[in-house]
Amino acid sequence: MDQSLMLLSLVQGKLVTRPLGISHPFRTTPCQSNKHIRAYSLSGICAAIQLQRQLNVSATIFESEAEIGGTWATNTYPGCGSDDRSYLYNYSFAPNYDWTRKYVPQAEILGYLRNTALRFGLYSNHNVLFSHRVTRMQWDDSLQKWSMDWVNTLTGEQGVHEADVVIHGKGLYKTPRIPRAFDSFKGEKWHSARWNHSVDLTGKRVGVVGSSASAIQLVPSIVDRVDSLFVYGRSPVYISPQFDSPFSEITKALFHRLPQVHWAFVLFWTYIMDSTYLLYYRLTWYSALHRGLMYFVTWLHRLIQVPDPALRAKLVPDQLLGSKRTALSNAYYPALGKDHVEYFREEIVEVHEQTIMTGDGSTREMDVLIFATGFDIPCNFPSGQWIGCDGEDIAAGWSDQGGAFTFYGVMTLKAPNFFMIWGPQSGSYHQAITGDIEAQVMFMIRSLSFMMKGELSVIEVTEHATGEYMDLVLERRAFAVPCAAPSPTSSGLQTRDEEDFEEKTNEQQPLVRKALVGTGPCFWNGSCAEFRRRLKRVDLEKVFNGVGR
């Protein structure tokens, strides 16, 4: 369980703050604290700041990495950068007027997150435990507390931490997915999210497996350094032009001088980009024009950038537009057209020593193999490591049901005093997640305030409220484009189709059936604005079961 957690303790209806005594931001020795956050990423930073600003409380933060930043700290592959406009990564309470361009590299986003953490005093206001991994979480019914087993990944030291409230901020893109079929490859190999900077690719024969957003970014960045490049992508995605440009010094000065202009600029583009959720709907008249336009744009982009008809045919996606996120790139197609690059659409059937064979009989030998195969989203909650009320293994329950069963991706049944940020059935598939994260964090703040005012020691979302939300998710999914989500199998990158969902669904009880709609990407099907509005209007008295002191 490699995530960041925030722990909170409640005494006499109040969140307790204790002196933390932190003198250095990289301190790794455990301190006693009452609040617990997992993952010091985009989600964890937001939660820590708002706890301090809104409730004036501190937390113990467990971060498995050596520094803050989440996915923007661990993903350092060549070409890594935002595929959303940079200014949409702003927290609303911490606008950045100095983004250098519309789509910025990874280092610039990481710098923003770390500067924001310093600006709001997160190192001094919270007990931050870097290189500490939480390996197990269990709710104690008698004590009404969470017990957290942790390990220091640097020293091997182990311990247990108790908390009244846990905030889980891992997000979705943490656990790299590497099919076991490639275990037999004898050359250098790594996942794009764990880039091996000690290996120089200059003059080497390199293979890239996958056609995800990371592959689309890294292939153009390494293509001119390698001797030969073999790209294996069975499921190419739709790619549209990336209209990128730098911000002028005049524009940045205007934002500094008139913050209202920056606010209006960000708001305008937030709603413009939010409208693109229509791409992920079908059978709705109001999305037909939007989808038709994007089909034309991606077709024209491919036609212009790939002059070779044979290669262009290989790059035509076989899934509906919207079943995967549309990528942005001006460099990927030209990179594939270079003389020393080969693209394979065929299935990989054999891996032996340093050779890969595809279904058409082609074999290629390489020195380095890079996996751009995405992430194991279900592995964010491994079975046996998250135990709720009555000894319930929550993750195993989700697995048995075929999918996660949550309330706005923030809470779930059998997990009292446990909050998720960007949990299953939440978050957007079409634009930056920052706004949704803020909405979920503010729901958490409202819930903690509700506990304090009501002098409650325990709150748990009701089955009725969760079922109503899952009904809404199911209703929306009926209009969504079918998504072939990678299955976390050991043998390879298999996919699940709609028939698989239906077959599993018919074997379950009605309440369980609703949980299946989030299997796969687990996103909210709708606009971000609607999600935030609905979450803001939740009547806490109607959705919580509470236990007094």
Side-chain angles (χ1 to χ4, degrees):
M1 224 175 231
D2 187 8
Q3 304 129 347
S4 316
L5 291 172
M6 194 175 284
L7 295 178
L8 310 168
S9 281
L10 292 152
V11 177
Q12 296 179 350
K14 296 182 180 180
L15 285 165
V16 175
T17 305
R18 296 184 182 177
L20 301 178
I22 299 178
S23 58
H24 193 279
F26 297 100
R27 174 175 181 171
T28 56
T29 53
C31 294
Q32 295 301 315
S33 185
N34 304 319
K35 300 143 269 286
H36 186 95
I37 299 179
R38 289 192 79 182
Y40 220 0
S41 56
L42 189 69
S43 302
I45 291 171
C46 182
I49 289 174
Q50 295 294 34
L51 277 173
Q52 190 69 40
R53 293 179 74 218
Q54 304 294 333
L55 299 176
N56 194 30
V57 298
S58 328
T60 295
I61 302 173
F62 282 72
E63 171 56 62
S64 61
E65 303 296 335
E67 244 291 9
I68 69 171
T71 189
W72 293 110
T74 56
N75 283 267
T76 59
Y77 59 83
C80 181
S82 65
D83 55 0
D84 282 303
R85 293 170 182 261
S86 55
Y87 37 85
L88 299 183
Y89 280 99
N90 286 325
Y91 295 120
S92 63
F93 52 83
N96 181 15
Y97 307 130
D98 295 313
W99 293 115
T100 58
R101 55 192 314 111
K102 293 178 182 176
Y103 297 92
V104 295
Q106 164 264 343
E108 194 165 339
I109 297 176
L110 180 60
Y112 167 73
L113 293 176
R114 291 180 174 175
N115 288 337
T116 300
L118 289 171
R119 173 184 168 188
F120 285 90
L122 298 195
Y123 291 114
S124 57
N125 293 332
H126 298 282
N127 183 18
V128 186
L129 305 178
F130 289 110
S131 301
H132 278 62
R133 177 181 300 155
V134 174
T135 57
R136 195 170 189 272
M137 307 178 290
Q138 180 162 1
W139 174 258
D140 190 313
D141 292 302
S142 60
L143 297 178
Q144 296 182 340
K145 291 180 181 291
W146 285 95
S147 177
M148 328 291 298
D149 297 342
W150 56 263
V151 60
N152 185 319
T153 58
L154 298 179
T155 66
E157 180 186 3
Q158 300 181 24
V160 179
H161 194 114
E162 289 187 346
D164 295 295
V165 178
V166 175
I167 303 167
H168 180 284
K170 177 180 179 180
L172 299 181
Y173 305 127
K174 183 69 176 179
T175 307
R177 179 173 58 243
I178 303 177
R180 293 183 182 175
F182 295 98
D183 288 350
S184 59
F185 184 80
K186 301 302 182 184
E188 296 281 356
K189 59 186 175 184
W190 62 79
H191 193 277
S192 61
R194 299 292 184 269
W195 194 266
N196 186 352
H197 292 277
S198 66
V199 177
D200 183 5
L201 298 182
T202 302
K204 286 188 168 56
R205 300 165 298 174
V206 178
V208 175
V209 179
S211 53
S212 64
S214 55
I216 291 170
Q217 290 183 340
L218 75 86
V219 165
S221 300
I222 66 173
V223 66
D224 292 328
R225 296 160 48 191
V226 303
D227 176 73
S228 53
L229 182 62
F230 312 110
V231 181
Y232 298 89
R234 292 192 62 195
S235 302
V237 300
Y238 291 92
I239 303 176
S240 66
Q242 186 177 56
F243 299 103
D244 191 17
S245 61
F247 285 109
S248 68
E249 294 303 318
I250 294 176
T251 299
K252 289 188 279 187
L254 178 63
F255 288 162
H256 277 280
R257 181 62 63 89
L258 296 173
Q260 301 88 342
V261 174
H262 180 267
W263 175 84
F265 177 78
V266 172
L267 183 66
F268 172 78
W269 279 107
T270 296
Y271 281 99
I272 289 295
M273 298 308 297
D274 201 14
S275 69
T276 62
Y277 83 93
L278 295 174
L279 290 176
Y280 304 96
Y281 274 70
R282 58 177 178 169
L283 305 178
T284 49
W285 65 267
Y286 46 82
S287 67
L289 288 177
H290 206 144
R291 291 170 56 77
L293 175 62
M294 285 306 299
Y295 268 119
F296 174 75
V297 168
T298 56
W299 170 82
L300 183 62
H301 187 53
R302 191 167 55 247
L303 178 67
I304 293 173
Q305 290 209 315
V306 187
D308 180 5
L311 176 59
R312 189 165 63 245
K314 289 184 178 182
L315 295 171
V316 176
D318 56 7
Q319 72 271 10
L320 293 174
L321 180 71
S323 63
K324 293 183 179 180
R325 180 166 176 160
T326 302
L328 305 174
S329 178
N330 300 327
Y332 181 65
Y333 285 152
L336 295 182
K338 291 181 178 289
D339 292 337
H340 65 296
V341 178
E342 292 185 78
Y343 184 88
F344 297 91
R345 181 76 177 263
E346 297 78 17
E347 179 182 7
I348 295 174
V349 296
E350 183 179 347
V351 179
H352 178 69
E353 299 290 337
Q354 292 182 230
T355 301
I356 289 180
M357 176 184 292
T358 53
D360 62 350
S362 300
T363 59
R364 297 294 184 272
E365 187 174 358
M366 58 202 70
D367 306 304
V368 178
L369 187 59
I370 301 168
F371 304 103
T373 45
F375 299 84
D376 265 332
I377 293 176
C379 288
N380 287 350
F381 302 94
S383 296
Q385 296 184 11
W386 182 20
I387 311 301
C389 292
D390 305 319
E392 178 86 9
D393 187 329
I394 298 171
W398 286 358
S399 178
D400 293 341
Q401 296 169 4
F405 195 77
T406 75
F407 179 72
Y408 286 92
V410 185
M411 302 186 78
T412 190
L413 302 175
K414 298 292 187 178
N417 297 3
F418 191 99
F419 297 91
M420 297 173 285
I421 307 174
W422 199 8
Q425 322 300 355
S426 71
S428 66
Y429 205 54
H430 58 281
Q431 72 156 317
I433 194 66
T434 314
D436 288 351
I437 286 174
E438 286 196 51
Q440 291 180 317
V441 167
M442 291 312 298
F443 174 84
M444 174 200 72
I445 296 295
R446 287 177 56 211
S447 301
L448 294 176
S449 179
F450 178 80
M451 291 180 71
M452 291 187 285
K453 290 178 180 178
E455 296 189 353
L456 302 174
S457 60
V458 176
I459 57 171
E460 182 181 2
V461 67
T462 65
E463 184 172 316
H464 176 74
T466 308
E468 280 192 337
Y469 177 67
M470 296 303 295
D471 280 338
L472 175 63
V473 174
L474 177 61
E475 175 186 328
R476 293 300 179 82
R477 194 171 196 274
F479 293 96
V481 176
C483 179
S487 172
T489 61
S490 59
S491 58
L493 295 180
Q494 300 177 359
T495 59
R496 298 173 181 168
D497 56 25
E498 289 297 291
E499 292 182 0
D500 290 328
F501 284 113
E502 303 232 346
E503 183 179 348
K504 287 179 177 291
T505 301
N506 293 333
E507 299 172 357
Q508 307 294 336
Q509 296 299 318
L511 186 63
V512 174
R513 185 177 299 129
K514 301 167 189 171
L516 293 170
V517 295
T519 306
C522 304
F523 288 101
W524 157 255
N525 288 310
S527 72
C528 297
E530 182 193 4
F531 180 83
R532 298 164 198 162
R533 183 174 64 252
R534 285 179 175 274
L535 192 55
K536 185 176 181 180
R537 293 178 178 176
V538 169
D539 186 340
L540 300 183
E541 292 187 355
K542 294 182 179 179
V543 302
F544 285 147
N545 287 323
V547 177
R549 296 191 173 280

